[in-house]
Structure formats: C-alpha cells, structure tokens
C-alpha cells in the first residue's frame, strides 16, 4: 500500500481495498486503523475539503465505507468531520 497518492480516485481505490480486506477478515482491526490513519496523515487535502469528504471520495467509497473511515479518523486522529 502506498502512502502518497496522485489523485483522489487512487486514494479511494486504496481505502476501498483496505476496508474490504477488513470486512473479508483478511486484515485485523489494528491494521485497518493504522492504514486509514496513515493515508489521512499523508493525504489530508485529498480526503477532506472544508471538513467534509471530497465528492470523488463520496462517489467512489459509498456511505458504509465512509462511516468506517469517519469513525477511525474521529477516534485515532481527532479530525472534525
């Protein structure tokens, strides 16, 4: 998994694969939280704009995945979404 992404679409694909791997019991919760927080720390402007998920992220990830991402960011990073 990369930490720096060129586009929001690449970022969304990566987040989707991490969350899907967690839902498929291929990775544990600690790996999920670390992956999402690392992606956010290195790409904050591609993930959030004006305190909300970017339009491309909302379109590519869907509500359920964004709920997971939001909870991780609130607890691990303290981000205000």
């Amino acid at each position: 998994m990369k930490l720096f992404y060129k586009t929001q679409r690449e970022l969304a694909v990566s987040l989707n694969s991490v969350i899907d791997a967690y839902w498929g019991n291929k990775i544990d919760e600690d790996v999920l939280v670390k992956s999402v927080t690392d992606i956010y720390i290195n790409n904050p402007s591609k993930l959030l704009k004006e305190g909300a998920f970017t339009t491309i992220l909302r379109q590519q990830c869907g509500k359920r995945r964004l709920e997971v991402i939001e909870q991780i960011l609130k607890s691990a990073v303290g981000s205000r979404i």
Side-chain angles (χ1 to χ4, degrees):
M1 180 183 73
K2 298 190 309 186
L3 291 179
F4 298 96
Y5 293 90
K6 186 174 179 180
T7 66
Q8 291 176 355
R9 290 191 196 284
E10 287 179 357
L11 183 88
V13 168
S14 178
L15 287 169
N16 287 349
S17 67
V18 169
I19 293 170
D20 290 347
Y22 172 71
W23 284 340
N25 295 318
K26 294 178 181 142
I27 61 172
D28 64 13
E29 190 171 326
D30 294 333
V31 174
L32 171 70
V33 171
K34 178 158 179 26
S35 298
V36 171
T37 54
D38 286 348
I39 289 171
Y40 171 72
I41 288 168
N42 292 304
N43 304 277
S45 65
K46 288 186 180 71
L47 204 66
L48 301 173
K49 297 263 186 197
E50 299 175 8
F53 290 112
T54 63
T55 302
I56 291 176
L57 226 61
R58 288 194 309 263
Q59 291 171 344
Q60 299 290 315
C61 293
K63 289 181 182 179
R64 289 182 55 210
R65 288 188 190 101
L66 290 179
E67 288 173 359
V68 172
I69 295 167
E70 182 177 2
Q71 290 303 316
I72 291 169
L73 294 180
K74 281 182 179 177
S75 64
V77 181
S79 176
R80 293 184 185 103
I81 300 173

